Amino acid sequence: MPARTAAAVAEVEEPQTTHGLQFNEPLSWRAGKSIPVADLLKRLNALSKEMQDMEQEENERDSFTKVAKELVSPNLLAHKDKGVKALTAACLVDILRLCAPDAPYTGQQLRDIFNMIIGQILPALADPTNAYNSQHLYVLSSLAQIKSIVLLADIPSADTLIKNVFAICFDVISGSSKTSPREELQKNVEINMTQLLTCLVDESQTLPPEVVDIIVAQFLRTDPKALSGVGGKNKKNGVIDEKQSTLVLRQLPPAYKMAKYICNACPEKMARYFSQYFNDVVVDASNSSNQKHPSKSKKRHSDGLDDSGDENAGGPTEQDLQELSKVHGLLRELWRACPGVLQNVIPQLEAELSAENVQLRLLATETLGDIISGIGAAGLPPAPPMDPAAYPSNALSNPSEDTVSVNLLTKPSSPHPFPSSHPQAYSNFLGRRQDKSSVIRAAWTIGIGRILNTSAGGAGLSQQEEDRLISDLSLMLGDADEKVRLAAVRVVASFSFRDVVSKLGRPGGVTDNGSVLAILAERIRDKKHSVREEAMTLLARIWGVGVGEISAENEQVTALLKGIPSKILDTYYTSDLEIMVLLDRVFYEQLLPLSYPPIKGKSNKLTNGNSQGAKESQGSTEKSGDAIDPDSIRTERVLLLLKDLDERAKKVFYAVQSRQMLLSKVMRAYLERCEDYNGGVMDDNESQIKEHLTRLIKTFAGLLPNSQQATSDLWKFAKMHDRRSYQLVRFCMAPESDYRTVFKAIKEFTKRIVDASASTSASNSLLDTLTPLLYRVSLVVYNKSHVPGIMEYSRTDAKSLASTAHEVLREISSRTPEVLKAHVQEICRTLQDEAPSAKKPNDAGAVDNLKACASFAAKYPTEIPQDRKFVQAMSSFALYGSPPEAAKYAVSVIWAATEKKESLARDLAQKCTKGFTFGEEGFLSRLATLSQLMLLAPNEIDDQSSDEILDIAIKQTLLQVREASKKPADDYEWSSPADVEVQAKCWALKMLVNRIRSHTDAESLPDVAAPVYKLLSTLIEQQGEVSQTTNTPPTHKPRLRLLAARLYLKLCTSKSHDALLTPSAFNALTTVAQDPVKQVRAGFLQRLKKYLNLQRLPQRFYTIPFLLAFEPSDALRTDTATWIKSRATFFANTKPTSSSTRANIVMESVFARLLSVLSHHPDYADEAEDLIDFSHYIIFYLQNVATADNVSLIYHIAQRVKQCRDAVSSTPAPDAPPTEADERLYHLSDLAQVVIRKYEDMHNWTIQTLPGKIRLPTSIFSEIKSHAEAQRIAEHHYLPEGVEAGAEDVLKATLRASRAAQHGKKRKSEGGDWDGREAKKAKPKLPIRKAATTTPKVKKAGTKAAKTPKPKKLKKDEEQGSAERRRSGRVKEVERSYAERDSDEDDEEMETVGAGAAAKADDVEDESADEEMDASVEPKSPDVDDAQEEEAGDEEHEAEEQDVGDEPTPETTPKTTPRGKRKSTASSQAKAGAPAPTKARAMRSRGIAA
């Protein structure tokens, strides 16, 4: 062991010996004596193997001299055989390795070597199947690992070689990656090439600009549109293959990764190169833009880009912009890949933000926005799906709801948070919010939207920063320019539903002022149709996607989104036809999509949400196991939508359904005439058919924005004569059609129209015209398929939808009872099972089923069961039903559908009167039953029972005060719910009124009705007080007064009953519109407008709405003003009938009645201050009725009033001097003439002299017999000094406030002086009459009034739009009669004009209007019981009238502003132009303490 160890040590310590190269064969030859290729290959192979095994330190360098010299001979470097070149190159790189660091070659020899390697060896790496691929790989590996490539830097003028190295390496990597089957080999190539190029960049002092271009180009490989322009010499710049845009790369390209590694390995050098590259491009573009005479072929891109003055003059050409755009797109990708190389570029990009040229600022803004968002050249990922028709609906709890296929190239990614890395640039970017160019602001809006959407490229934003960006987005939604607002809407549309809730919903929902969603909701009333279209569609889509969370009672989502349907439906009031069509599409495509849910009815179980992609088909409603019922799902969505609607929106919702019934009649007539038209081929009655078809087409065309195009399309449809399409439309309208039938009919109809348009090469206008009409006539919501689901929810109260289900069921029973035909038997069986008794109450939902049954029985009495059990059940409801309305409906069912109704009526009357005791169990039900019997079966009640009924109603109920009030006698207040005593008095009052309504003897009617009329007048005049000895509780008075007024209206729908209402009683009735309690005013006006819409009241009732000049409620005043304008337009467009030539001047002729009412107003006085206050009434009338066409007629009527005497107070002798009442009329006539003249002057109108003489109503006016007296009155000026100037000031202030509201200007003061300066505000308790605290300063007589500036001239379409439609020639036609008849003649006229509308409204009582009023008076919670509903509004439903609803009246002009919230004209005027009255003067005539 010792010896062996010593020997080993000696061996280790022996010095190393170097060995030289053993290869000694020739490799070169003389000309003509070449070495055979086979021998040459053997020699080179042997040399290569020997040198590969040699290490640098173990060899004698001199031994390589000969071989090194021979290897660089032209014979080998330029040899034709590829193998020779491959082996030669392998040997050469070994020579360089073994002789390093000093290469045994001259500069020219190194050039030749690298020319051969770069030109032959490196390109061969693209083919892994090459026989000499191993030698190629060895050469590449040696150059990279030994870093022999750095010798290129020592070669003079080697820029071309360096450029070729980079070009070939990137081409090899990018070209071979598509075909190479050897992934491991290709990975080695990529690694070695990356090391090779990195070493070259790192060791080179400078890089040629072409090399920078090559590196830059690799980052554009992620852009599919740029692939065709990168990586090939034969591809032209700027030529983009659009098909490349469909490519989806799942990983980064190898060339991209190689360029990324190079940049990150040498960040400082590359930063310098990239900065110079970016600067050169910008400078080139700037130099090009400064040329004085650019080429004609270079079109300026700035043309039409923006209207920002001259800042675009001399801007870059289109070619320059393409280059700039490419470079800026590159910066996006560089930030994602290697942000370190942009450290010098970001300041340059920041400087562009302040450039004068818009295009440069735009590019900089877009680029910085995408850089911060981490968006590269590949662009944005696909937007998350938001399908409102998907089922199950989007759920926040499901993380995969908005997951899309991950694309590494489009996934936003920012390696560093840009705000912290470059705070100055980020701050300057945020400053672009206030750029003067709307194009820049729009681009900036898109940028911040992407930053929010991507959370700054995944780097994250602080809470403060995110809140600031959300606030900025909300500001952009209200920008003054439509392009910016539209961009902001589209930005919101790019968010996923989860981000809408979690990010955009953080400031609040659509009902929270200032939040993104609230301002987005304001955009649905935008003045630009493109903005409001996208905003409304987006809002509806958000709600449709979130309805699943609302159904799941997600409080956060519900609070954010529940107001969306109300905001959308509220646009109905704008009366803009484009909005109406948009509303139809949004309603049936987003809120309640026709295809929802897109599942079949059978065996579609919910598993992993796979039903999302199911076909759009509606299956049968059969259930099998846990199969899904599409009708039930759809019904729930309808109820969820309706549940959260506010009262205005609910009116629209029900009005849309009511419109379906009306338009379906017109559509049926149109289809019939189309069939008669027979495509234009008719045998008989050709002129009549064409005339009728023309009228029907004109009706439909008037409902669409482009009436001319609609007329053409409807004629085209008639000429198509497609009988199948006719039948499909009839399927959509038929109450017998289930939802599946309606849906398939709409789908097939749409396809047929599209195919027809395609076959005739026509445009899509035909489908655009017919689709809204088809939506409006289709029975979609009130469909028979939904009835079972509605009934189920009404019974179970699932998801707190019972109240809403009851409401819808009531509406269906009132509007379309036909759809209940298939379910009426089930309803009757349910009622039979729930029949109450003395000990057992009925279910709370029975009243709605009873109402549905009563409405159905009125139209289809034979469909109601006649068996004994059902009749007994109805009798039980009549005696014990709760609430009392259940008893009323039960009586209606008995009277409409049972055979022995007479005997049943007598029996019920006896049971109700026998032993009646106020306050006993069920006494309210008995009162309701007696009230209905007095209306339906008065002849079946004997005299004794009749006397007992009157005793119960009057002595035991109305005249009794069981709980005397201890409060002052003038106390008057509203409370809800109503107590039992006032409910009983209301039923008793209805009982008395029903008694005279059912009275058929015209001769005895005045005697029978006189006590009731006196009682109603007493309740109105005495503020609801009926007892002379005891104070009625103050909470009873307003309800009794309201009911008395509404019963008066009901009575006056009959001509014989209206004749009994004296002018003085009518004047007292008008004061209810100025009741101190808002609920009374709203309830009275709601019923009044309903009857006037139906044309069931005489003309004199149009006077009452004009008394709202001092209405303190902005909403009530605005709604009433809108309604007045709508009725004025209706009458102006109504053609005179043969029996009346005055149908189109109803609103004008009512002005005389208004002056008569005002002359008897309790607040009237002849003092100047009072008359100035009364000018508000006249101004309110003129604002809503007067036009350039009718102002002459109104002025003439005002003059005529001064030529008559008052006939309301008394009938004076012909030669008697004017009475006080007469002088009141003359004061108001002079005041009206003054105001009309001023109003006409301020509007640049002209008052013309009218032919003929207008006759005023003889019931309130009488002629002056003495000509001398008439002359004296006409010449006398009755107005006190200062009234004219004061009225002019009031008019100016009112018009100023109106114009300010139209332009969205906010008034500085609320109730201040007329100039808008802040003044002391009096806040009286009852500000409904006159204004007295801030009377305008009265000018002295003879003082010239201040010159009124001319109003701004309107655009032609604004100025002439409605005027031309309303023009009736009433000023120019001499033969037209302007004589106004008295009330009897008015009734005849109304009956003629409205015969069609009133004929069907005389059999069933209106109740839904009461319910609408009740809802507006006292908002109901969804779970309020039916008794509370009735107590809240004194609901009426009797069998004489059919309720067709109080359809919401569209506004005449939508008033929106780009910024801020919408503000109505009337609201602004009430705040800025209507001074508040003092407490004493406002109510002095009432004696109510203010």
Side-chain angles (χ1 to χ4, degrees):
M1 285 293 295
R4 187 178 303 175
T5 302
V9 172
E11 183 177 353
V12 171
E13 293 178 352
E14 184 179 354
Q16 295 182 356
T17 58
T18 58
H19 303 282
L21 181 67
Q22 301 300 319
F23 180 81
N24 193 22
E25 296 186 48
L27 296 176
S28 61
W29 61 89
R30 295 178 182 178
K33 297 182 179 181
S34 61
I35 302 174
V37 174
D39 293 343
L40 187 58
L41 290 175
K42 287 182 180 179
R43 296 174 187 178
L44 289 172
N45 189 34
L47 176 60
S48 176
K49 287 183 177 180
E50 182 180 355
M51 287 194 296
Q52 286 180 15
D53 295 334
M54 298 177 68
E55 298 295 335
Q56 183 179 11
E57 295 81 4
E58 301 177 357
N59 303 292
E60 296 179 1
R61 297 172 61 90
D62 295 339
S63 62
F64 301 113
T65 303
K66 178 185 176 184
V67 174
K69 182 178 180 181
E70 292 180 333
L71 287 174
V72 296
S73 68
N75 294 335
L76 293 179
L77 294 179
H79 202 281
K80 295 181 179 180
D81 188 79
K82 295 181 180 180
V84 172
K85 291 181 180 179
L87 290 171
T88 300
C91 294
L92 283 171
V93 294
D94 278 334
I95 292 294
L96 295 177
R97 174 177 64 84
L98 296 172
C99 295
D102 298 321
Y105 298 114
T106 64
Q108 183 59 43
Q109 290 175 329
L110 286 175
R111 182 184 298 277
D112 294 338
I113 292 172
F114 281 111
N115 268 331
M116 188 268 290
I117 292 175
I118 295 171
Q120 303 295 326
I121 304 304
L122 293 183
L125 288 168
D127 182 13
T129 63
N130 191 295
Y132 298 98
N133 189 56
S134 59
Q135 283 76 22
H136 300 156
L137 291 174
Y138 181 77
V139 172
L140 174 64
S141 174
S142 178
L143 289 174
Q145 296 177 9
I146 304 302
K147 298 184 178 181
S148 302
I149 193 66
V150 300
L151 294 173
L152 273 177
D154 298 334
I155 301 175
S157 303
D159 289 354
T160 302
L161 288 174
I162 296 175
K163 181 196 73 173
N164 291 339
V165 169
F166 279 88
I168 291 173
C169 286
F170 282 117
D171 285 344
V172 167
I173 288 297
S174 61
S176 65
S177 61
K178 299 179 181 179
T179 58
S180 175
R182 303 174 63 182
E183 292 296 333
E184 181 179 358
L185 176 63
Q186 292 304 314
K187 193 67 176 176
N188 292 336
V189 172
E190 178 183 343
I191 293 173
N192 288 323
M193 282 189 173
T194 302
Q195 292 179 351
L196 177 77
L197 299 182
T198 303
C199 179
L200 197 55
V201 171
D202 191 37
E203 296 295 334
S204 299
Q205 293 184 355
T206 60
L207 287 178
E210 296 82 1
V211 172
V212 179
D213 292 343
I214 293 172
I215 297 175
V216 161
Q218 311 314 311
F219 290 100
L220 297 177
R221 292 184 180 276
T222 56
D223 185 0
K225 293 183 179 180
L227 288 177
S228 59
V230 177
K233 297 180 180 179
N234 297 327
K235 297 187 178 181
K236 298 180 179 180
N237 293 331
V239 178
I240 298 177
D241 185 2
E242 293 297 334
K243 295 182 180 179
Q244 297 295 323
S245 62
T246 61
L247 296 178
V248 178
L249 303 177
R250 299 298 179 182
Q251 60 181 356
L252 294 174
Y256 177 96
K257 292 189 288 186
M258 192 160 66
K260 176 182 177 181
Y261 182 87
I262 293 171
C263 293
N264 287 325
C266 309
E268 294 182 358
K269 282 192 174 183
M270 295 308 300
R272 185 172 68 252
Y273 295 141
F274 280 142
S275 176
Q276 184 63 40
Y277 174 84
F278 181 79
N279 187 61
D280 291 343
V281 174
V282 175
V283 169
D284 290 344
S286 301
N287 291 337
S288 175
S289 65
N290 291 331
Q291 293 179 2
K292 295 183 179 180
H293 303 287
S295 174
K296 294 182 180 180
S297 62
K298 294 183 178 182
K299 181 180 178 182
R300 293 290 173 184
H301 187 76
S302 60
D303 295 344
L305 177 65
D306 196 22
D307 53 356
S308 304
D310 297 333
E311 61 177 328
N312 290 326
T317 64
E318 189 169 346
Q319 293 181 0
D320 295 332
L321 283 176
Q322 289 179 357
E323 291 299 320
L324 286 171
S325 179
K326 184 184 297 185
V327 172
H328 284 77
L330 169 68
L331 298 182
R332 296 174 171 90
E333 196 60 43
L334 287 175
W335 175 261
R336 285 165 50 94
C338 42
V341 303
L342 297 182
Q343 55 185 341
N344 298 329
V345 177
I346 296 298
Q348 294 175 277
L349 191 61
E350 178 186 349
E352 284 187 356
L353 289 174
S354 303
E356 288 294 329
N357 187 266
V358 174
Q359 292 89 351
L360 289 179
R361 293 208 311 276
L362 177 62
L363 283 173
T365 303
E366 292 175 339
T367 303
L368 273 176
D370 285 351
I371 286 177
I372 301 169
S373 304
I375 298 172
L380 286 166
M386 289 182 67
D387 183 7
Y391 183 83
S393 299
N394 218 342
L396 293 177
S397 57
N398 183 8
S400 63
E401 54 91 11
D402 55 1
T403 300
V404 294
S405 57
V406 177
N407 187 338
L408 186 62
L409 303 185
T410 58
K411 181 181 179 181
S413 174
S414 180
H416 304 297
F418 189 92
S420 59
S421 301
H422 302 276
Q424 185 62 38
Y426 182 69
S427 177
N428 289 339
F429 168 76
L430 294 181
R432 288 302 95 198
R433 179 176 67 84
Q434 298 178 339
D435 196 285
K436 62 182 177 180
S437 171
S438 60
V439 176
I440 306 300
R441 297 198 304 274
W444 183 85
T445 302
I446 296 173
I448 64 168
R450 292 178 176 180
I451 295 171
L452 281 169
N453 209 340
T454 63
S455 295
L461 289 168
S462 65
Q463 186 72 40
Q464 181 180 2
E465 193 60 40
E466 190 169 280
D467 290 342
R468 175 183 177 178
L469 293 179
I470 293 174
S471 176
D472 288 341
L473 178 59
S474 65
L475 292 176
M476 293 298 99
L477 282 168
D479 191 88
D481 192 276
E482 64 173 302
K483 294 189 289 292
V484 182
R485 301 196 301 274
L486 185 60
V489 172
R490 290 173 177 171
V491 163
V492 178
S494 67
F495 283 74
S496 67
F497 179 72
R498 179 179 287 108
D499 286 339
V500 169
V501 174
S502 61
K503 294 181 180 178
L504 302 186
R506 190 182 301 129
V510 293
T511 57
D512 299 312
N513 294 335
S515 68
V516 174
L517 294 177
I519 300 178
L520 177 63
E522 293 177 8
R523 295 280 64 78
I524 64 178
R525 286 175 172 261
D526 197 279
K527 61 183 179 181
K528 298 296 182 180
H529 181 70
S530 59
V531 179
R532 60 179 177 248
E533 180 179 12
E534 296 211 22
M536 186 183 294
T537 303
L538 172 59
L539 267 180
R541 186 186 305 123
I542 291 174
W543 186 89
V545 173
V547 72
E549 293 296 330
I550 296 175
S551 175
E553 300 181 350
N554 185 314
E555 294 182 359
Q556 180 188 11
V557 176
T558 302
L560 291 177
L561 308 183
K562 69 177 182 179
I564 288 178
S566 295
K567 296 287 186 180
I568 292 175
L569 292 180
D570 192 62
T571 59
Y572 185 95
Y573 292 92
T574 62
S575 80
D576 186 293
L577 295 180
E578 286 186 334
I579 292 182
M580 304 288 266
V581 172
L582 176 60
L583 180 60
D584 292 327
R585 291 187 176 274
V586 165
F587 192 83
Y588 293 110
E589 296 173 8
Q590 306 292 337
L591 293 177
L592 300 176
L594 295 176
S595 60
Y596 178 82
I599 57 178
K600 296 180 179 179
K602 290 184 179 181
S603 302
N604 274 278
K605 300 180 180 180
L606 293 180
T607 55
N608 299 326
N610 292 331
S611 61
Q612 176 87 10
K615 293 183 178 180
E616 295 183 1
S617 60
Q618 302 297 332
S620 65
T621 58
E622 298 178 9
K623 292 186 179 182
S624 175
D626 55 352
I628 298 174
D629 179 12
D631 294 328
S632 177
I633 296 171
R634 196 181 313 106
T635 302
E636 178 184 328
R637 182 159 178 159
V638 172
L639 296 178
L640 286 171
L641 182 144
L642 187 57
K643 176 183 177 182
D644 292 324
L645 292 181
D646 58 28
E647 292 309 317
R648 282 169 57 91
K650 277 187 180 179
K651 288 183 180 181
V652 173
F653 181 89
Y654 292 130
V656 169
Q657 312 313 318
S658 301
R659 181 185 61 184
Q660 186 275 333
M661 299 300 296
L662 299 176
L663 292 182
S664 62
K665 298 176 182 178
V666 183
M667 180 60 76
R668 290 188 183 95
Y670 171 69
L671 297 178
E672 291 173 1
R673 294 292 79 79
C674 287
E675 291 175 335
D676 296 339
Y677 185 69
N678 195 27
V681 181
M682 293 159 283
D683 296 332
D684 301 320
N685 302 324
E686 180 176 351
S687 60
Q688 291 87 341
I689 293 173
K690 286 185 176 180
E691 181 183 358
H692 193 192
L693 191 56
T694 300
R695 292 201 305 269
L696 292 169
I697 288 176
K698 183 178 180 181
T699 299
F700 278 134
L703 302 175
L704 301 175
N706 191 345
S707 59
Q708 184 177 359
Q709 182 64 49
T711 301
S712 174
D713 291 334
L714 290 170
W715 274 112
K716 187 185 302 181
F717 180 73
K719 293 175 182 178
M720 287 170 54
H721 196 52
D722 185 0
R723 294 184 179 275
R724 176 59 180 172
S725 295
Y726 300 161
Q727 187 58 39
L728 291 173
V729 177
R730 290 190 174 102
F731 284 149
C732 294
M733 298 185 296
E736 298 80 16
S737 299
D738 61 6
Y739 190 87
R740 182 171 178 267
T741 302
V742 174
F743 172 72
K744 294 182 69 176
I746 295 176
K747 197 173 182 180
E748 182 181 348
F749 178 86
T750 302
K751 185 177 184 300
R752 294 182 71 87
I753 297 300
V754 171
D755 294 343
S757 300
S759 62
T760 58
S761 299
S763 62
N764 293 328
S765 64
L766 182 59
L767 182 63
D768 294 338
T769 297
L770 294 177
T771 298
L773 297 178
L774 186 62
Y775 285 161
R776 295 180 187 184
V777 301
S778 298
L779 206 59
V780 176
V781 177
Y782 288 173
N783 191 277
K784 62 183 255 183
S785 299
H786 297 158
V787 175
I790 295 173
M791 295 177 61
E792 181 67 21
Y793 277 106
S794 67
R795 286 194 298 266
T796 61
D797 195 23
K799 300 182 180 180
S800 302
L801 293 175
S803 177
T804 307
H806 287 312
E807 189 176 349
V808 176
L809 197 60
R810 287 195 299 269
E811 287 293 324
I812 292 178
S813 64
S814 300
R815 316 289 188 191
T816 56
E818 298 88 349
V819 303
L820 298 176
K821 186 175 292 187
H823 309 283
V824 69
Q825 297 295 332
E826 180 183 354
I827 294 175
C828 292
R829 284 195 299 270
T830 302
L831 291 173
Q832 186 173 315
D833 296 338
E834 296 177 352
S837 63
K839 298 182 179 179
K840 169 194 164 186
N842 58 272
D843 186 74
V847 64
D848 295 305
N849 290 336
L850 279 167
K851 180 186 175 182
C853 191
S855 300
F856 185 83
K859 195 167 187 179
Y860 304 101
T862 58
E863 300 289 338
I864 299 297
Q866 302 289 333
D867 59 281
R868 180 170 172 270
K869 289 185 178 179
F870 179 74
V871 174
Q872 288 181 344
M874 292 297 100
S875 299
S876 298
F877 274 109
L879 294 174
Y880 308 108
S882 177
E885 286 72 19
K888 180 179 67 174
Y889 299 143
V891 174
S892 299
V893 174
I894 291 173
W895 189 255
T898 57
E899 297 178 353
K900 301 179 180 180
K901 54 185 178 183
E902 293 83 0
S903 60
L904 288 173
R906 288 192 294 270
D907 184 57
L908 285 175
Q910 292 175 1
K911 290 182 178 179
C912 290
T913 56
K914 184 178 180 181
F916 178 86
T917 304
F918 189 96
E920 67 178 349
E921 187 70 26
F923 83 103
L924 287 178
S925 300
R926 295 188 182 187
L927 288 175
T929 297
L930 291 174
S931 173
Q932 196 72 350
L933 288 174
M934 293 296 286
L935 176 67
L936 300 177
N939 297 329
E940 309 307 325
I941 301 175
D942 54 35
D943 294 340
Q944 180 180 357
S945 297
S946 180
D947 293 340
E948 293 176 352
I949 291 173
L950 292 178
D951 181 76
I952 291 173
I954 300 174
K955 294 183 179 180
Q956 298 187 42
T957 306
L958 278 174
L959 298 181
Q960 295 292 327
V961 179
R962 287 171 170 78
E963 294 183 6
S965 174
K966 298 180 181 179
K967 296 183 179 181
D970 58 357
D971 203 0
Y972 188 80
E973 60 187 29
W974 184 274
S975 68
S976 182
D979 58 36
V980 174
E981 183 178 354
V982 74
Q983 288 187 64
K985 290 184 177 182
C986 289
W987 285 113
L989 202 57
K990 293 177 185 179
M991 197 184 306
L992 297 177
V993 171
N994 286 344
R995 177 170 175 265
I996 61 174
R997 288 177 62 199
S998 61
H999 192 81
T1000 56
D1001 186 5
E1003 294 183 1
S1004 60
L1005 178 61
D1007 296 332
V1008 175
V1012 179
Y1013 273 61
K1014 182 179 180 181
L1015 175 62
L1016 295 178
S1017 295
T1018 300
L1019 288 171
I1020 291 174
E1021 295 173 3
Q1022 300 299 325
Q1023 298 281 320
E1025 181 63 77
V1026 69
S1027 175
Q1028 298 180 355
T1029 58
T1030 311
N1031 288 340
T1032 300
T1035 57
H1036 292 186
K1037 295 177 184 179
R1039 291 187 180 274
L1040 292 174
R1041 191 181 193 221
L1042 172 61
L1043 180 60
R1046 296 176 74 165
L1047 290 176
Y1048 252 148
L1049 295 178
K1050 188 181 297 295
L1051 287 169
C1052 291
T1053 58
S1054 168
K1055 182 178 179 180
S1056 58
H1057 293 96
D1058 177 67
L1060 302 177
L1061 182 64
T1062 63
S1064 58
F1066 174 80
N1067 290 339
L1069 177 64
T1070 62
T1071 61
V1072 180
Q1074 296 180 319
D1075 191 273
V1077 175
K1078 177 186 175 181
Q1079 289 85 344
V1080 176
R1081 303 195 302 274
F1084 175 65
L1085 288 166
Q1086 181 274 330
R1087 180 58 58 84
L1088 173 69
K1089 290 186 287 187
K1090 176 184 186 297
Y1091 286 149
L1092 289 174
N1093 281 340
L1094 296 174
Q1095 297 186 356
R1096 301 186 62 192
L1097 286 173
Q1099 184 187 115
R1100 58 174 171 171
F1101 284 89
Y1102 278 101
T1103 308
I1104 300 176
F1106 295 106
L1107 297 181
L1108 268 70
F1110 291 101
E1111 172 58 45
S1113 171
D1114 291 344
L1116 182 57
R1117 190 173 190 270
T1118 302
D1119 289 346
T1120 303
T1122 301
W1123 178 86
I1124 293 172
K1125 293 175 184 177
S1126 176
R1127 298 307 295 170
T1129 303
F1130 168 77
F1131 285 116
N1133 293 332
T1134 301
K1135 294 183 178 180
T1137 62
S1138 58
S1139 62
S1140 173
T1141 59
R1142 302 174 44 257
N1144 53 3
I1145 62 168
V1146 172
M1147 301 303 287
E1148 291 84 352
S1149 59
V1150 82
F1151 187 57
R1153 295 183 179 272
L1154 175 61
L1155 295 181
S1156 175
V1157 169
L1158 292 178
S1159 69
H1160 293 276
H1161 195 279
D1163 291 338
Y1164 179 84
D1166 292 338
E1167 300 174 4
E1169 189 177 11
D1170 293 274
L1171 290 172
I1172 292 174
D1173 282 344
F1174 267 61
S1175 67
H1176 285 85
Y1177 293 110
I1178 300 173
I1179 295 172
F1180 184 68
Y1181 171 87
L1182 294 175
Q1183 282 186 304
N1184 295 299
V1185 176
T1187 65
D1189 294 332
N1190 65 8
V1191 67
S1192 300
L1193 177 59
I1194 297 173
Y1195 184 76
H1196 185 62
I1197 292 173
Q1199 288 179 320
R1200 282 286 293 131
V1201 170
K1202 199 173 180 181
Q1203 301 168 10
C1204 300
R1205 304 188 66 173
D1206 179 74
V1208 176
S1209 301
S1210 61
T1211 304
D1215 55 349
T1219 63
E1220 181 183 354
D1222 295 335
E1223 292 190 351
R1224 288 184 172 192
L1225 277 177
Y1226 304 152
H1227 279 86
L1228 291 172
S1229 174
D1230 284 346
L1231 177 63
Q1233 293 177 55
V1234 167
V1235 174
I1236 293 172
R1237 286 198 304 268
K1238 300 295 183 182
Y1239 194 85
E1240 166 255 344
D1241 182 62
M1242 292 179 184
H1243 287 78
N1244 293 329
W1245 295 342
T1246 301
I1247 295 180
Q1248 302 176 4
T1249 302
L1250 297 183
K1253 188 176 181 180
I1254 296 178
R1255 284 180 52 207
L1256 300 185
T1258 57
S1259 59
I1260 57 177
F1261 296 104
S1262 61
E1263 294 291 337
I1264 302 176
K1265 302 300 182 182
S1266 173
H1267 176 74
E1269 182 67 15
Q1271 186 71 20
R1272 186 192 66 81
I1273 294 173
E1275 294 176 353
H1276 182 69
H1277 188 66
Y1278 285 86
L1279 291 182
E1281 182 181 356
V1283 172
E1284 183 172 348
E1288 182 180 4
D1289 290 342
V1290 172
L1291 179 59
K1292 287 180 180 179
T1294 304
L1295 294 181
R1296 188 185 305 122
S1298 178
R1299 294 190 186 108
Q1302 290 177 9
H1303 292 84
K1305 296 179 180 178
K1306 296 183 179 180
R1307 307 294 293 178
K1308 293 183 178 180
S1309 63
E1310 214 171 307
D1313 59 14
W1314 298 117
D1315 293 327
R1317 294 183 294 270
E1318 187 173 358
K1320 296 181 179 179
K1321 292 177 282 186
K1323 202 169 185 180
K1325 181 179 180 182
L1326 305 170
I1328 58 176
R1329 292 276 181 83
K1330 303 193 305 185
T1333 56
T1334 54
T1335 304
K1337 186 176 180 180
V1338 178
K1339 298 181 180 180
K1340 295 182 179 180
T1343 304
K1344 186 176 180 181
K1347 185 176 180 180
T1348 305
K1350 292 184 178 180
K1352 184 179 179 181
K1353 189 173 182 180
L1354 298 175
K1355 294 181 181 178
K1356 184 176 181 180
D1357 56 344
E1358 296 174 353
E1359 185 178 27
Q1360 299 293 337
S1362 62
E1364 291 298 327
R1365 292 194 300 269
R1366 295 169 59 106
R1367 193 181 302 277
S1368 60
R1370 51 182 174 266
V1371 174
K1372 299 178 181 179
E1373 297 182 7
V1374 178
E1375 65 275 10
R1376 178 66 57 85
S1377 172
Y1378 295 98
E1380 180 173 349
R1381 293 151 289 183
D1382 58 14
S1383 299
D1384 293 338
E1385 291 174 303
D1386 291 336
D1387 290 336
E1388 293 176 3
E1389 177 185 58
M1390 298 312 265
E1391 289 179 358
T1392 302
V1393 175
K1400 299 181 179 180
D1402 289 327
D1403 297 326
V1404 187
E1405 162 86 52
D1406 58 320
E1407 150 167 331
S1408 296
D1410 289 284
E1411 296 171 352
E1412 293 171 2
M1413 187 283 298
D1414 297 337
S1416 64
V1417 168
E1418 289 292 334
K1420 300 178 293 184
S1421 60
D1423 57 349
V1424 67
D1425 61 29
D1426 298 281
Q1428 290 175 329
E1429 278 187 84
E1430 295 299 330
E1431 293 166 357
D1434 297 322
E1435 173 188 276
E1436 296 179 28
H1437 175 82
E1438 304 171 7
E1440 181 183 332
E1441 304 170 0
Q1442 180 181 3
D1443 175 28
V1444 296
D1446 185 16
E1447 182 170 341
T1449 307
E1451 297 171 4
T1452 55
T1453 53
K1455 305 174 182 66
T1456 59
T1457 57
R1459 296 180 184 269
K1461 297 191 69 176
R1462 187 172 170 274
K1463 194 171 183 181
S1464 67
T1465 302
S1467 174
S1468 298
Q1469 181 178 342
K1471 293 180 178 179
T1478 58
K1479 300 179 180 179
R1481 293 185 63 244
M1483 297 307 301
R1484 63 186 177 191
S1485 62
R1486 289 294 179 201
I1488 297 180

